[in-house]
Amino acid sequence: MATSTATKNSAKPVKRQENDTVTVRFCGDSGDGMQLAGTQFTNSSSIFGNDVATLPDFPAEIRAPAGSLPGVSGFQINFSKFDIHTPGDRVDTLVAMNPAALKMNYKDVVDGGIILVNEDAFTKTNLQKAGMDVNPLDDGTLRDYRVHKLPMGKLTTEAASDFGLNTKGVNRCKNFFALGVVCWLYERPLKPIEEWIGKKMGKTPAVADANTAALRAGWNYCDTIELFPQAYRVAKAKIAPGKYRKITGNEATAMGLATGARRAGKKLFLGSYPITPASTILETLASMPQMGVKTFQAEDEIAAICSAIGAAFGGACAVTSTSGPGIALKGEAMGLAVMTELPLVIVNVQRGGPSTGLPTKTEQSDYLQAMWGRNGECPMPIIAASTPANCFDMAVEAMRIAVQYMTPVILLTDGYLANGSEPWRIPQSKDLPQFPVKHAVSNNGEAFMPYKRDERGSRPWAIPGEKGLEHRIGGLEKQSVTGNVNYDPDNHQAMVNERAAKVANVAESIPDLKVEGNPEADLLIVGWGSTYGAITTAVERANSGGKKVAHAHLRYLNPMPKNTGEVIKRFKKVIVPEMNMGQLIIKLRSDFLVDAKGLNKVQGKPFLVSEIEEAIESALK
Amino acid sequence: MPVEPLKPADFASDQEVRWCPGCGDYAILAQVKKTLPALGIARENIVFVSGIGCSSRFPYYMNTYGFHSIHGRAMAVASGLKMARPELQVWVVTGDGDGLSIGGNHLLHAIRRNVDMTVLLFNNRIYGLTKGQYSPTSEVGKRTKTSPKGAIDFPLHPISVAIGAEASFVARTLDIDLKHMGYVLERAAAHKGTSFVEIYQNCNIFNDGAFSYATDKNTKEDTRLILEHGKPLIFGKDRNKGIRLNCTDPEIVDLGEGVSEDDLLFHDEKAAEPSLAYLLSRMHHPEFPEPFGVYRAVERPCYEYVLDEFCKSSDPPASAEDAEIDALLNSGDTWVVD
């Protein structure tokens, strides 16, 4: 690998080794500010020009007992000179702020990787809290790694105590000290971080100054004492020209929903109830009143969806956002939206289940719930986002399908997409799809038929305020065309068929399933949702290593693209990786009669690339 | 634009009314139809929302916009509708089971938010549509198919619940007193905020005579206390009995024997604190006459109007380019790759 010696921020020339891709993980107590340090490292790397992918991993407890194992919070970032799709399997550099964080994370570090520890936190008490009798810094536990012990508490105190903060306040700056160290190690620019500090903390100059001082102290410490014999550099990635921002899945979902409503020519209404990991969709949309977005924090999940249904009846582009437990509560109301044939987007940011399960961890085990988790014959379109930025496109798409087909639509994302981030080339509004809604208008006193369908199978959307179209809808079975309550057996059969046909018709408006990788391969990997990054990387590596593997990723799960069966049947072997015990595979096997094999994982964590690679390897043996 | 004068019949839909013959719901339907024309609101701007139960069939019989939703959730559906369309006039029709049992949570929260709508809670103290199980307002000891030895759970009192939920308008009326109901409905419709109206309604099939004490012409003068703002609490066939406050408890006194009207409690529906209204809501038959009329009517901001003020925005343009979207997507930290 090439080395160079120039670094603009540094006093002395530093030897820097060029790396293609690096993974860094910050971990510490949940009060140590690791999410912040990781986010700022990500911003700096994005602005520097790398491709990045992140994985925050935090506990369900806001502040578990300090120093305890359940209280450990981590943030992983992968940055590269190439196009990357995952936050990285193994860690090159680990920052561990206390013994518990070290214990929970060191095994993920590559052999010979760097571990930076806050030596000050390795006290007898903290070791006990982490269940350790001996100090792992001394007993050879870490012999396979390059360990750097830094008295971060002491050094931060020295750097940040002149600005009038109390001891506790000064001590809270040590995440920025650690960040300064890692920035030096990988030649990350400090400027974007300092600007962020100025913007966010500028109102209390003492806090801003202390954190800036800690950040710089971390950098200068490395420079001065030549902490590392070797430093690194990851060159800018070749990224398509354009204007970029970093975006998390939930931000993208929120922006997509707000955008989708305006593309429909309407205002957005969100009825929601706080739930991990979906809450930030509600928070983000609550900050968009200038877009005409109305958000309503309801008293519970049921009220959240019911308020959205009421808003849809009134003519709003309505949404409810939640996670699995919330979907369980919304089931009956989702049926009401199917029966009343009102447009509605239901976002499920999936998390580990069942029941409360693993609130902050990721899983994709709600697909069958989305398909069949309601009473009666109750079909609705289901779509799934594949990357954090793709959440934007799929949210716009969910809104399009909802208003064009007068139906509730489920948008599946998950905790990994929700909190994970990537750089996003910002689209321009003029390039985004437009699908203006046309409400029903009265026709010279002609009797209004609320369930008379158009060529798509959609009923008219008539809203209060339109004279002459006064009508009643509800959860009881409707007579076809008139919409009057009707219990006739033949009519019920006809209406069940009509509702199913309408959902099936959505297939006419969606793109074909694309085959990535090598289309001539014998082996096809079929994925959906957030496994996209790991599958893509594994398939790219396999193909560049001389194997032949294809990849098809489903973003439309109900109905599926029209060519899905044809694609899947073309391959001799089909593997379906899912972060569940095998859900999509049931549908693929039953719909297309293919002998697909599952690759299943429910550990609250996304697939490692290596896990998919191993499955490819053994399938091709 | 002036609204053409409407007649009660204009509010009747083409659907056959399917309540049991003799049900108290018929009287309420008739009185609502009679009240609406006086409000001067066009039919297309009125929406009736209901949950599930006998009462919740109501929207089907009104020639306005209507939404027969799911059990207990009418308040949430109506709240969302009002937030999306603050200019509409929204009525919620619910029952003791729908509104206080399965939908209790939504009732509380819609009331505290003071969403501007009128809530009619038909209280018949029984589950009618499911054929006669006890409800959250059934009295202790009530024998039904699901309480063969008598109901064990203590009933809720709808007016007390509404006041506890910070209601800005609370009233009670009963199905057979059309004149009184008309007055209460008009007041409720005119009030800005959640107007909660409990209507005593007879279920002649499963709980016949539940309110006969208040409807029987021989007893009603002694069992009903008609509330009038600023007036003393007087009742009885000869209007010779009143309610006086003894420490913090109400007591019945006979007027004349050393007790004058000035010694009685005076009704104040506009009192800032709901204590008096709550005290009235605790007066139950047979110990006390039960108060009818407006318990409480105070002004408080309505959720959907405040929200609407917060969310003023430009309408989406017809053109492909939308400056609001571009501003949103480009907000925050961005960088350019050449």
Side-chain angles (χ1 to χ4, degrees):
Chain A
M1 286 187 206
T3 56
S4 76
T5 51
T7 309
K8 57 176 183 276
N9 299 49
S10 298
K12 282 174 244 171
V14 182
K15 249 172 94 179
R16 288 199 177 266
Q17 180 185 310
E18 296 277 346
N19 281 8
D20 293 345
T21 301
V22 169
T23 301
V24 172
R25 186 186 296 173
F26 295 85
C27 61
D29 205 63
S30 55
D32 278 342
M34 292 296 96
Q35 301 301 321
L36 182 55
T39 311
Q40 287 312 307
F41 192 79
T42 308
N43 285 348
S44 179
S45 297
S46 305
I47 291 169
F48 173 75
N50 292 131
D51 195 14
V52 302
T54 71
L55 174 65
D57 181 21
F58 42 82
E61 295 79 11
I62 302 300
R63 294 279 166 93
S68 69
L69 296 173
V72 174
S73 168
F75 188 103
Q76 182 166 316
I77 160 176
N78 192 14
F79 53 106
S80 175
K81 65 187 275 199
F82 297 119
D83 193 14
I84 49 167
H85 314 289
T86 78
D89 282 8
R90 304 290 302 277
V91 175
D92 297 303
T93 293
L94 177 75
V95 177
M97 300 302 280
N98 67 11
L102 179 69
K103 186 178 178 180
M104 297 285 280
N105 289 282
Y106 80 88
K107 285 179 185 155
D108 294 337
V109 179
V110 295
D111 280 356
I114 297 172
I115 298 182
L116 298 168
V117 295
N118 173 20
E119 193 182 16
D120 294 338
F122 282 68
T123 60
K124 205 173 159 198
T125 326
N126 281 346
L127 288 166
Q128 272 169 357
K129 282 183 191 162
M132 294 191 279
D133 300 327
V134 260
N135 191 338
L137 303 181
D138 302 330
D139 72 350
T141 305
L142 306 175
R143 71 173 70 84
D144 294 336
Y145 312 104
R146 288 179 281 162
V147 181
H148 298 276
K149 296 182 269 187
L150 279 72
M152 291 189 200
K154 189 165 143 264
L155 295 168
T156 304
T157 306
E158 283 168 11
S161 55
D162 291 344
F163 304 98
L165 296 185
N166 59 20
T167 316
K168 201 176 156 197
V170 171
N171 196 39
R172 285 182 63 178
C173 299
K174 65 180 183 299
N175 57 337
F176 276 95
F177 182 91
L179 180 58
V181 170
V182 187
C183 282
W184 183 90
L185 187 59
Y186 291 104
E187 202 185 21
R188 308 283 93 181
L190 296 188
K191 200 171 148 236
I193 304 172
E194 291 177 356
E195 281 173 2
W196 182 89
I197 292 175
K199 225 186 297 173
K200 287 284 163 178
M201 307 178 185
K203 274 187 200 151
T204 39
V207 174
D209 292 347
N211 279 297
T212 307
L215 176 72
R216 287 183 190 163
W219 178 288
N220 293 335
Y221 184 73
C222 300
D223 231 14
T224 314
I225 71 156
E226 296 178 34
L227 181 64
F228 304 102
Q230 170 91 296
Y232 302 90
R233 163 173 299 152
V234 176
K236 290 182 185 190
K238 284 195 185 67
I239 295 171
K243 194 170 173 192
Y244 284 78
R245 64 179 295 153
K246 193 195 66 165
I247 196 155
T248 67
N250 275 359
E251 285 167 354
T253 301
M255 288 187 190
L257 293 168
T259 300
R262 285 184 78 91
R263 301 316 270 177
K266 307 286 299 177
K267 302 278 171 83
L268 188 79
F269 176 89
L270 172 77
S272 189
Y273 184 76
I275 183 171
T276 304
S279 304
T280 46
I281 296 174
L282 168 59
E283 291 168 7
T284 308
L285 284 169
S287 71
M288 297 181 194
Q290 81 285 359
M291 298 281 288
V293 173
K294 287 183 178 174
T295 58
F296 170 51
Q297 182 177 314
E299 60 271 21
D300 61 26
E301 295 282 358
I302 298 171
I305 185 171
C306 286
S307 67
I309 292 171
F313 183 63
C317 272
V319 182
T320 189
S321 55
T322 186
S323 187
I327 295 287
L329 287 165
K330 292 179 197 295
E332 186 192 12
M334 288 163 76
L336 177 67
V338 166
M339 204 64 161
T340 52
E341 304 194 36
L342 286 169
L344 173 70
V345 175
I346 301 151
V347 182
N348 178 358
V349 186
Q350 299 165 95
R351 69 189 214 188
S355 185
T356 311
L358 290 76
T360 60
K361 311 293 179 194
T362 196
E363 212 163 276
Q364 45 183 188
S365 45
D366 299 347
Y367 168 62
L368 293 183
Q369 180 196 39
M371 276 303 298
W372 292 308
R374 295 169 293 280
N375 63 305
E377 294 292 338
C378 195
M380 55 179 77
I382 304 164
I383 63 177
S386 55
T387 70
N390 183 241
C391 290
F392 177 84
D393 301 315
M394 296 319 278
V396 174
E397 187 64 346
M399 195 61 80
R400 176 192 69 83
I401 296 171
V403 298
Q404 287 185 343
Y405 289 85
M406 289 294 284
T407 178
V409 175
I410 296 177
L411 170 59
L412 294 175
T413 72
D414 63 30
Y416 169 53
L417 295 176
N419 294 313
S421 64
E422 62 179 339
W424 181 45
R425 193 168 157 215
I426 304 168
Q428 292 184 310
S429 60
K430 62 182 171 55
D431 301 327
L432 296 170
Q434 236 178 336
F435 34 88
V437 165
K438 285 197 189 80
H439 287 298
V441 289
S442 63
N443 189 8
N444 298 324
E446 191 184 297
F448 176 55
M449 295 296 151
Y451 278 74
K452 189 175 165 189
R453 298 178 189 281
D454 66 9
E455 67 285 355
R456 289 192 179 107
S458 306
R459 74 177 194 88
W461 191 5
I463 59 171
E466 181 65 20
K467 192 175 161 69
L469 302 192
E470 295 86 358
H471 66 287
R472 277 66 54 191
I473 56 171
L476 290 170
E477 183 59 290
K478 304 279 170 290
Q479 188 176 43
S480 185
V481 184
T482 68
N484 289 330
V485 174
N486 188 291
Y487 305 137
D488 175 70
D490 291 339
N491 176 73
H492 178 50
Q493 180 73 61
M495 287 298 276
V496 167
N497 295 349
E498 284 176 25
R499 287 188 287 264
K502 181 177 76 168
V503 171
N505 282 348
V506 172
E508 302 297 328
S509 72
I510 64 178
D512 270 354
L513 179 60
K514 217 171 69 187
V515 178
E516 300 174 37
N518 186 338
E520 307 302 318
D522 289 337
L523 173 63
L524 174 72
I525 314 289
V526 180
W528 69 278
S530 72
T531 55
Y532 179 79
I535 297 174
T536 302
T537 309
V539 169
E540 277 174 2
R541 284 186 197 165
N543 284 327
S544 61
K547 296 188 181 70
K548 288 182 180 171
V549 189
H551 172 203
H553 213 77
L554 283 162
R555 289 172 186 81
Y556 298 84
L557 298 170
N558 190 45
M560 292 185 193
K562 284 192 283 185
N563 66 332
T564 304
E566 180 259 309
V567 165
I568 290 175
K569 287 177 185 171
R570 208 194 303 155
F571 294 84
K572 284 196 184 123
K573 288 183 175 178
V574 177
I575 297 178
V576 186
E578 294 182 84
M579 294 187 292
N580 59 44
M581 291 309 288
Q583 299 199 0
L584 177 69
I585 195 170
I586 290 178
K587 188 81 165 69
L588 295 178
R589 290 178 69 107
S590 79
D591 281 16
F592 307 118
L593 303 175
V594 290
D595 187 21
K597 302 275 189 265
L599 173 64
N600 304 98
K601 172 174 175 176
V602 275
Q603 299 173 0
K605 288 180 172 183
F607 275 105
L608 298 177
V609 176
S610 59
E611 290 166 338
I612 313 247
E613 285 182 289
E614 280 159 26
I616 292 172
E617 188 92 21
S618 64
L620 292 178
K621 238 179 231 164
Chain B
M1 205 170 62
V3 176
E4 60 188 273
L6 293 164
K7 298 179 291 298
D10 293 326
F11 285 95
S13 77
D14 59 356
Q15 298 296 296
E16 183 192 353
V17 183
R18 295 194 188 175
W19 288 312
C20 307
C23 177
D25 290 358
Y26 283 95
I28 306 172
L29 178 64
Q31 193 54 48
V32 168
K33 282 186 204 156
K34 226 182 259 179
T35 303
L36 286 176
L39 304 179
I41 296 169
R43 254 189 349 213
E44 63 270 20
N45 292 327
I46 300 173
V47 186
F48 278 82
V49 182
S50 65
I52 294 292
C54 294
S55 60
S56 289
R57 295 297 179 99
F58 202 98
Y60 289 123
Y61 309 138
M62 298 295 300
N63 191 15
T64 62
Y65 282 88
F67 203 141
H68 178 214
S69 76
I70 45 177
H71 204 11
R73 319 303 173 198
M75 297 295 279
V77 172
S79 294
L81 172 62
K82 261 302 254 180
M83 288 173 209
R85 299 286 303 279
E87 76 281 11
L88 297 175
Q89 205 210 27
V90 174
W91 296 69
V92 171
V93 180
T94 184
D96 41 318
D98 188 63
L100 289 170
S101 196
I102 191 166
N105 195 30
H106 311 305
L107 186 84
L108 294 182
H109 290 277
I111 288 175
R112 86 177 158 90
R113 292 186 191 105
N114 204 30
V115 178
D116 187 13
M117 55 193 182
T118 300
V119 181
L120 309 181
L121 187 141
F122 297 11
N123 183 6
N124 57 15
R125 295 188 176 159
I126 199 78
Y127 281 68
L129 194 63
T130 50
K131 302 187 176 65
Q133 302 82 12
Y134 68 98
S135 92
T137 56
S138 295
E139 59 279 17
V140 172
K142 174 123 198 126
R143 286 176 192 270
T144 71
K145 287 175 213 161
T146 51
S147 56
K149 294 191 172 190
I152 302 166
D153 32 343
F154 201 78
L156 279 175
H157 299 289
I159 302 273
S160 300
V161 171
I163 293 168
E166 307 290 341
S168 64
F169 183 98
V170 185
R172 177 190 283 151
T173 185
L174 80 175
D175 55 6
I176 62 151
D177 191 341
L178 294 181
K179 201 173 150 206
H180 187 264
M181 197 194 321
Y183 165 75
V184 166
L185 292 179
E186 269 174 42
R187 287 283 314 271
H191 177 75
K192 276 240 178 286
T194 305
S195 309
F196 179 83
V197 181
E198 178 189 23
I199 306 176
Y200 281 0
Q201 173 247 323
N202 191 39
C203 173
N204 57 324
I205 305 297
F206 295 108
N207 202 17
D208 196 22
F211 303 105
S212 56
Y213 61 89
T215 54
D216 189 299
K217 59 176 182 288
N218 294 320
T219 56
K220 67 178 188 186
E221 300 298 337
D222 291 320
T223 58
R224 289 165 56 178
L225 172 67
I226 304 298
L227 299 172
E228 288 177 87
H229 180 62
K231 301 269 176 67
L233 302 183
I234 296 175
F235 67 104
K237 212 177 290 177
D238 303 320
R239 295 197 56 80
N240 59 349
K241 285 185 270 190
I243 301 293
R244 185 172 71 178
L245 206 56
N246 180 0
C247 286
T248 56
D249 296 322
E251 64 177 1
I252 297 172
V253 290
D254 291 327
L255 283 169
E257 299 159 22
V259 180
S260 79
E261 285 191 7
D262 289 344
D263 297 322
L264 300 181
L265 253 178
F266 278 66
H267 184 47
D268 180 6
E269 63 185 35
K270 298 184 191 316
E273 279 302 311
S275 317
L276 174 66
Y278 187 76
L279 179 136
L280 293 173
S281 80
R282 307 302 296 167
M283 289 169 43
H284 304 303
H285 179 77
E287 291 80 12
F288 287 99
E290 295 190 337
F292 288 80
V294 178
Y295 283 63
R296 181 162 170 77
V298 294
E299 298 275 314
R300 193 150 67 73
C302 300
Y303 187 100
E304 73 275 34
Y305 303 136
V306 179
L307 179 68
D308 201 49
E309 278 304 309
F310 285 170
C311 301
K312 292 286 177 219
S313 72
S314 67
D315 285 329
S319 63
E321 196 165 333
D322 183 340
E324 289 288 357
I325 290 177
D326 287 320
L328 173 74
L329 302 188
N330 287 280
S331 61
D333 292 332
T334 61
W335 66 94
V336 174
V337 175
D338 299 318

